[in-house]
Amino acid sequence: MVDFSQFDSLVALTMHFNNEEACRNAIAESRWGVGEEQDIVCPYCGGHHCTTRKDGRFRCNKCKRNFSCRVGTIFEDSNVSLVKWFIAMYLISSHKKGISSCQLSRDIKVTQKTAWFMLHKVRALYAQNTMEPFYGEVECDEVYIGGREKWKHKSMRTPNTQGRSTKTKTPVFGMMERSSIVNDKGDIEFMSYVRAIVVTNTKGETLKPIIEREIEQGSTVFTDELNAYTGLANMGYEHRICNHGALQFVCDGAVYTNNIEGFWSHFRRMISGCYHDVSDEHLQSYIDEVCFRWNTRKMAESERFSQMFHTSIGLVRPNREFVLCQKVA
């Protein structure tokens, strides 16, 4: 079985996965085991103990279909070599601000169109897990993406787009749980986990059902003075407000939304510095990507790649607690 902890750099990764056979073996061993304990399962009918063909593919004795280790993974139906796929996954996961399709195409020698599709396939692995609600202290805030028209001629600009207008901007709602972890040295340090969702507007009728679904009742919710948050106390939450309109940014030492606003700043820099522009159609995918980077920022490169690899072959479901260390209740 491959020891993923050794891949602490791109050099270590490329030295091990330097041919197609090494990549195929890593996928097969991770999916079906090694040696006598290996049980190859057909991805089409679920039949066990499939036989290995001379060409390295497999044959199901039940449905009589041939298949490779790629079937059922993000590598299926792709003509790109597994070596390039593994390098791409490592680059995508390790770059703090992401990597553009143009840069990825130059790094692994594929077309920009191929690199773009590879990026979106990998982003599918970042899907946020909403099975477990946030609890404790949670910051909530909204941000508007797009809408900058200062470079347009005045006659071409959309009127009345200031403030919270959604004529040219897309609203995004975010929640951040304040927490603590025990690091490798045994010290307790602050850690936060974030979730963000594209919404149609920032009205109470839109945001409150999301809060009710994603945040456990009894938690303390920190927000700004937006009217949409009015009534959270009646929903079973302890609602604390920081009035930004009155130039209040920290109240009573703990009432603030600075953490999630820092996350929004990080997200904006990723968009403007790397991708430059994001369409509404794919905005949620980019949000999932930046949430993944934020929630795994204390994880080693080898651990992040291992998590992505096992998710790519369907063995692990994405989840917010990626950090491989003890979380303090």
Side-chain angles (χ1 to χ4, degrees), residues 32-49:
W32 302 309
V34 185
E36 296 180 355
E37 298 181 358
Q38 187 178 55
D39 181 13
I40 302 172
V41 180
C42 176
Y44 298 111
C45 69
H48 289 254
H49 305 293

Side-chain angles (χ1 to χ4, degrees), residues 244-306:
H244 293 169
L247 300 182
Q248 295 178 354
F249 300 101
V250 179
C251 305
D252 300 328
V255 182
Y256 55 84
T257 58
N258 297 342
N259 293 317
I260 192 165
E261 286 169 3
F263 168 76
W264 293 137
S265 177
H266 184 87
F267 178 48
R268 287 184 184 277
R269 287 196 300 272
M270 185 187 82
I271 297 298
S272 61
C274 182
Y275 303 117
H276 306 304
D277 188 33
V278 175
S279 66
D280 291 346
E281 179 184 0
H282 300 292
L283 179 57
Q284 186 62 55
S285 296
Y286 289 91
I287 291 173
D288 291 342
E289 177 184 355
V290 73
C291 287
F292 169 83
R293 297 185 191 284
W294 183 273
N295 294 338
T296 61
R297 64 192 183 278
K298 296 184 183 294
M299 181 184 287
E301 304 295 342
S302 58
E303 295 169 336
R304 189 183 295 108
F305 175 76
S306 175

Side-chain angles (χ1 to χ4, degrees), residues 42 44-45 58-67:
C42 176
Y44 298 111
C45 69
F58 308 99
R59 182 172 179 82
C60 178
N61 298 321
K62 184 177 179 181
C63 66
K64 308 301 181 183
R65 298 185 68 174
N66 299 325
F67 60 93

Side-chain angles (χ1 to χ4, degrees), residues 115-129:
W116 189 89
F117 279 104
M118 292 175 72
L119 280 165
H120 276 280
K121 278 195 170 185
V122 172
R123 287 191 186 104
L125 307 178
Y126 296 151
Q128 300 176 62
N129 183 8

Side-chain angles (χ1 to χ4, degrees), residues 8 11 32 76 112 117 152 180 189 192 203 208 223 287 298:
D8 56 354
V11 174
W32 302 309
E76 185 177 358
Q112 183 273 334
F117 279 104
K152 286 186 178 181
S180 300
E189 61 177 299
S192 58
K203 297 179 181 179
K208 286 179 181 177
T223 71
I287 291 173
K298 296 184 183 294

Side-chain angles (χ1 to χ4, degrees), residues 138 140 208 211 218-242 255 257:
V138 183
C140 294
K208 286 179 181 177
I211 293 174
S219 300
T220 302
V221 178
F222 303 97
T223 71
D224 56 21
E225 71 279 12
L226 183 66
N227 290 333
Y229 301 118
T230 302
L232 287 181
N234 298 329
M235 297 169 57
Y237 301 101
E238 183 180 348
H239 186 199
R240 308 294 299 277
I241 301 173
C242 190
V255 182
T257 58

